[in-house]
Amino acid sequence: MAGMTHNLSSQCRACGAPIVAFMSFGRMPIANGFLKAEEISDEYFFELAPAFCDRCGMFQIMEQPRPEKMFHEQYAFFSSTSHYMQAHFAAFADVIMKEILAGRSDPFVVECGSNDGIMLRHFHDKSIRHLGIEPSANVADVARRLGVCTISAFFNRKLADDIVSEHGRADAILAANVMCHIPDLPGVAVGVQRLLKPDGIFVFEDPYLGDMIAKTSYDQIYDEHVFIFSVNSVMRAFADYGLELVDVAPQITHGGSMRYSLAPKGSRKVAPVVAEQLKKEQAQGLDKAETYARFKKNCESSRSRLMQALDNMRRDGKRVVGYGATSKSTTVTNYCGITPDHVEFISDTTPIKQGKLSPGAHIPVKPYSEFVRDYPDYALLFAWNHAAEIREKEQTFIAAGGRWIVYVPDVSIVA
Ligand code: JHZ
């Protein structure tokens, strides 16, 4: 039966070569599957096991729940919860308008996985023709209320053809934290190829493999992230579909991301930074099996150190609260074995998560007001990627004697 609810691959999803998992994080629930107590008996689990393709360099998980299990009308992640991310997407939109769309007549922009409209709203504000594609109906509704044109669907070749018939081809196709979620990468590449104008550009960004390996931020690996991309793997995955990697730009968002720009082959000059970044990846050993064997060891030692700290705090009667019920925290809590005895509750500002239990570990998720009402001794920073924004606004917690527990890049207790 399990085979009916997930995609299990023993072949690389990008190039078809045989792949084998190099480690397992064990039984995992849906990362954003926050649930009520009465739903525990029906909770869905799969095995979270990453693999690295020796042939094309694609880092991926072997098994992924079917998309409908993850993205639906109760999807729990709303992009606009961070002020920093709002500024980031305003700047992203601005670059596209200035560097790509300027001077074009009646340009058309498509965004895959447009969530609550965090980026497309800026195109809407400038009356630029746009279309968001967002399968999770509840977040799509938020975007529509802002006036952002949005359809609730999964992006694929058929949808690309339908969009071309109705709106024409796109000058720019954008995606942020979305491409790494779609298992049928060849299908996406064909869709992009058909939807993009010959002088158009496809720009997307996702968490970056080089950062994940360097920081042991293994919590980037969860059901939604079927791939963790590198410059090398992206370049190869799209090349067969006539799309050339013409530019890359590292981003600090989500703990280290990479922005990739692709264009129909030969239509643009390839920026020198592409070759430079490929060299850096080689120097980091991203193409070597030893790198992943070492990553596995680093994950295990991060887990032991975090659990040792949490066990000591529990023994000493200290109160620990989680900060940010992130998707990433589902991997950390389930892989490490963190229970409600270690972490009293997780504070989160997203209404749909509040009053529910965290996936698998079943730690209660409570509104932020509960954190402020009675500060704990320690806050376990699950939203570590937003550390700058959070630590700045939580100075009263620190002044009251509170301390952060962080685990990326190392387990440490900080003020
Ligand atoms: P955050 C999501 O991952 C899911 P997540 C997705 N799969 C993806 O790819 C990445 O984003 C990019 C809360 N919070 O951004 C809000 C506070 O409570 O790390 C969020 O629930 N207080 C699409 O879920 C969570 O933390 C705050 O001050 O790992 C942050 O989630 C802030 C800033 C956030 O993404």
Side-chain angles (χ1 to χ4, degrees):
M1 279 297 104
M4 300 187 61
T5 52
H6 61 242
N7 295 302
L8 177 62
S9 187
S10 53
Q11 290 182 318
C12 171
R13 290 181 174 83
C15 77
I19 48 168
V20 182
F22 65 85
M23 70 178 289
S24 174
F25 291 98
R27 244 173 120 245
M28 267 306 142
I30 301 284
N32 272 305
F34 296 89
L35 71 175
K36 299 185 188 129
E38 59 271 26
E39 293 166 337
I40 288 179
S41 57
D42 286 335
E43 196 170 12
Y44 173 88
F45 290 89
F46 70 104
E47 191 193 358
L48 184 66
F52 169 74
C53 175
D54 292 332
R55 193 206 279 169
C56 75
M58 188 60 81
F59 187 103
Q60 57 205 286
I61 54 175
M62 305 285 291
E63 185 178 337
Q64 191 194 32
R66 290 225 174 270
E68 300 75 16
K69 281 206 147 309
M70 300 180 284
F71 309 109
H72 40 61
E73 66 297 336
Q74 290 292 315
Y75 187 55
F77 180 71
F78 289 70
S79 298
S80 296
T81 41
S82 149
H83 294 300
Y84 182 85
M85 292 309 290
Q86 289 184 26
H88 173 77
F89 286 113
F92 190 159
D94 202 48
V95 167
I96 299 296
M97 286 185 223
K98 291 203 172 108
E99 293 181 11
I100 310 292
L101 305 184
R104 296 193 181 211
S105 89
D106 191 25
F108 177 44
V109 177
V110 174
E111 186 186 353
C112 300
S114 44
N115 200 277
D116 55 14
I118 189 167
M119 175 142 66
L120 279 186
R121 60 189 301 175
H122 301 287
F123 295 93
H124 165 73
D125 289 350
K126 294 257 158 48
S127 305
I128 294 171
R129 262 194 324 129
H130 63 273
L131 182 66
I133 303 166
E134 176 47 64
S136 301
N138 60 331
V139 289
D141 280 344
V142 176
R144 284 189 201 103
R145 284 199 287 275
L146 294 170
V148 175
C149 301
T150 310
I151 50 171
S152 291
F154 287 101
F155 183 74
N156 52 30
R157 174 193 177 134
K158 160 92 177 61
L159 187 71
D161 286 343
D162 291 348
I163 296 172
V164 174
S165 325
E166 203 179 327
H167 304 271
R169 289 187 168 209
D171 293 82
I173 303 177
L174 310 177
N177 306 306
V178 170
M179 281 303 126
C180 72
H181 295 61
I182 310 178
D184 180 15
L185 200 57
V188 168
V190 173
V192 169
Q193 195 186 28
R194 296 166 82 94
L195 178 57
L196 202 60
K197 281 186 182 166
D199 62 348
I201 193 145
F202 171 38
V203 188
F204 71 91
E205 59 184 42
D206 277 302
Y208 178 56
L209 183 64
D211 284 297
M212 186 186 83
I213 297 294
K215 297 173 188 166
T216 316
S217 47
Y218 65 85
D219 55 356
Q220 287 295 1
I221 305 171
Y222 52 88
D223 56 355
E224 295 181 17
H225 290 179
V226 65
F227 301 112
I228 307 286
F229 293 133
S230 63
V231 172
N232 177 43
S233 64
V234 166
M235 184 181 71
R236 287 164 174 242
F238 289 93
D240 287 348
Y241 302 90
L243 293 164
E244 188 170 34
L245 184 63
V246 294
D247 202 4
V248 293
Q251 308 290 317
I252 58 166
T253 47
H254 289 294
S257 298
M258 187 64 74
R259 184 176 293 172
Y260 307 91
S261 300
L262 296 112
K265 191 166 174 47
S267 66
R268 280 170 196 265
K269 257 179 62 187
V270 178
V273 65
V274 174
E276 285 158 24
Q277 202 66 45
L278 284 168
K279 258 200 201 139
K280 278 192 195 161
E281 291 188 352
Q282 262 181 359
Q284 196 186 351
L286 291 190
D287 54 346
K288 299 210 169 48
E290 306 92 82
T291 303
Y292 300 96
R294 204 165 46 240
F295 175 70
K296 174 178 186 272
K297 283 218 171 82
N298 291 344
C299 292
E300 289 161 358
S301 99
S302 171
R303 171 174 64 180
S304 327
R305 281 179 290 134
L306 180 59
M307 290 317 289
Q308 198 176 23
L310 291 176
D311 284 337
N312 287 345
M313 287 164 189
R314 182 170 60 167
R315 194 199 50 220
D316 296 345
K318 301 290 183 195
R319 285 184 62 225
V320 179
V321 164
Y323 198 104
T326 58
S327 320
K328 298 181 288 294
S329 67
T330 295
T331 298
V332 178
T333 51
N334 287 278
Y335 172 59
C336 297
I338 299 172
T339 67
D341 290 337
H342 297 104
V343 172
E344 193 178 305
F345 66 89
I346 307 176
S347 159
D348 197 285
T349 51
T350 318
I352 197 172
K353 297 180 184 177
Q354 297 163 356
K356 296 201 178 139
L357 301 172
S358 73
H362 305 151
I363 301 167
V365 180
K366 297 193 176 174
Y368 175 63
S369 51
E370 290 293 301
F371 174 74
V372 179
R373 193 177 57 80
D374 185 12
Y375 283 137
D377 299 297
Y378 296 97
L380 177 51
L381 190 54
F382 288 128
W384 57 267
N385 45 310
H386 299 294
E389 176 174 345
I390 292 172
R391 288 173 69 180
E392 192 184 317
K393 78 178 172 205
E394 297 303 350
Q395 289 172 13
T396 319
F397 164 60
I398 298 300
R403 290 294 174 263
W404 296 107
I405 308 168
V406 293
Y407 51 88
V408 175
D410 295 307
V411 175
S412 58
I413 310 295
V414 293

